Amino acid sequence: MPTMSRKVNGNQCKYFYAVVSGSKERIYDVTGIDGASVYSIPQGNLSAVVSDVPFKRIRPERRHFAAHHGVLQQLIAEDALLPMAFGIISDGEKAVRSFLAKNRKPLNQQIQRVAGKVEMGLKVRWDVPNIFEYMTNVHAELGFARDALLHGARAATQDERIELGRMFENFLTSDREAYSERVEAFLEPCCDEIKRDKCRDEREIMNLACLVRRENLDAFEVAVFEAARGFDDNFAFDYNGPWAPHNFVDMNIDT
């Protein structure tokens, strides 16, 4: 990256994208929030990646999210990147340097944790028209309970319907756990860490965040395909990345 060659307004608010290793001032070849220049503010062996903003609050609009994530995607070429959450704004350059100085130890610890690594995502879903019908076909006990409820001599009570729903949820949970363990067994040799994020709907089986060394990215892709071979056409695999390691930056910091 080129050396910084222009004077910035140190008193203006700074939108915070990330913390990276390094002590040189740089301008990045990417535009930030509202088209502003993105540059670094170094303090010791760390630098904050920021852009100038006129206000202390940014609306959560699509264009702002896009700009934020666009900067992070540009920055993943860095050896170690600590991405910041959307919307963090500092009072000015002095406050940014103070933040880096106060949190030097935890920031350096997290830099070491993710150095040379990126985040990859893997989502697996049941690719079926009706997940309840599918589960009743897979699990005979659930199918029998459904048939007894729908085709019995009397109308089902509310409690009986609740119990059927609870049985369905239990099978979902147990299947998710079993399938996640199967897939993770393939991924673990090429991942430093794997985290399970919450499933967003009934059809989602797993939503994995994987911390992968850059040199293992090809092996990760091979592992995903190897894992997928053990599942039939009722399952859909979708992997994505590389991303900044959001799910693996865990800091208690002093702001």
Side-chain angles (χ1 to χ4, degrees):
M1 300 293 177
T3 301
M4 202 167 190
S5 60
R6 68 181 181 87
K7 181 67 176 177
V8 298
N9 185 348
N11 294 323
Q12 192 166 11
C13 294
K14 309 299 178 186
Y15 185 91
F16 217 141
Y17 300 96
V19 174
V20 298
S21 294
S23 57
K24 292 183 178 179
E25 294 182 337
R26 293 182 288 177
I27 296 175
Y28 292 87
D29 187 22
V30 62
T31 56
I33 299 291
D34 287 336
S37 295
V38 177
Y39 60 95
S40 66
I41 298 176
Q43 176 67 37
N45 67 330
L46 299 172
S47 293
V49 180
V50 304
S51 64
D52 295 343
V53 288
F55 307 109
K56 292 190 66 174
R57 184 167 183 174
I58 294 292
R59 292 181 180 275
E61 299 174 2
R62 181 177 298 179
R63 63 190 178 97
H64 291 151
F65 282 116
H68 178 94
H69 290 292
V71 171
L72 293 181
Q73 281 305 102
Q74 185 79 3
L75 290 174
I76 62 171
E78 298 286 336
D79 180 62
L81 165 66
L82 301 182
M84 304 296 284
F86 175 84
I88 296 179
I89 299 175
S90 177
D91 285 337
E93 183 174 330
K94 183 178 179 180
V96 170
R97 293 185 187 277
S98 176
F99 164 81
L100 293 174
K102 287 181 180 179
N103 297 284
R104 179 183 58 81
K105 183 176 180 179
L107 289 171
N108 275 302
Q109 289 172 340
Q110 290 299 308
I111 284 280
Q112 292 174 12
R113 180 185 182 187
V114 301
K117 304 165 191 173
V118 292
E119 182 173 320
M120 295 294 293
L122 174 63
K123 293 182 180 181
V124 182
R125 297 177 60 84
W126 280 291
D127 189 16
V128 296
N130 187 311
I131 185 61
F132 183 79
E133 289 296 327
Y134 173 79
M135 295 297 285
T136 59
N137 291 329
V138 170
H139 298 285
E141 182 182 350
L142 182 62
F144 291 148
R146 185 272 313 271
D147 292 343
L149 201 64
L150 295 181
H151 306 300
R154 59 176 178 77
T157 66
Q158 180 69 12
D159 286 346
E160 288 172 331
R161 292 181 181 276
I162 292 173
E163 181 57 32
L164 181 64
R166 184 178 296 113
M167 185 183 298
F168 169 66
E169 290 293 335
N170 287 340
F171 278 118
L172 279 181
T173 299
S174 62
D175 283 0
R176 282 171 174 152
E177 179 64 27
Y179 293 145
S180 294
E181 289 181 357
R182 279 174 55 182
V183 170
E184 287 172 8
F186 285 91
L187 301 181
E188 283 171 352
C190 55
C191 296
D192 278 45
E193 297 180 50
I194 299 175
K195 286 189 175 183
R196 297 183 186 180
D197 288 336
K198 185 177 180 180
C199 293
R200 298 181 180 181
D201 56 56
E202 288 181 338
R203 286 185 173 84
E204 193 162 86
I205 301 168
M206 67 193 79
N207 182 8
L208 304 180
C210 306
L211 188 64
V212 183
R213 294 181 184 274
R214 295 175 189 273
E215 62 267 26
N216 288 340
L217 286 174
D218 289 343
F220 176 85
E221 181 177 354
V222 170
V224 170
F225 280 94
E226 287 294 329
R229 287 193 182 98
F231 293 79
D232 61 28
D233 290 342
N234 292 308
F235 299 82
F237 280 64
D238 178 22
Y239 73 96
N240 55 79
W243 310 110
H246 287 278
N247 283 286
F248 301 95
V249 174
D250 182 19
M251 297 180 294
N252 292 318
I253 56 177
D254 182 3
T255 57

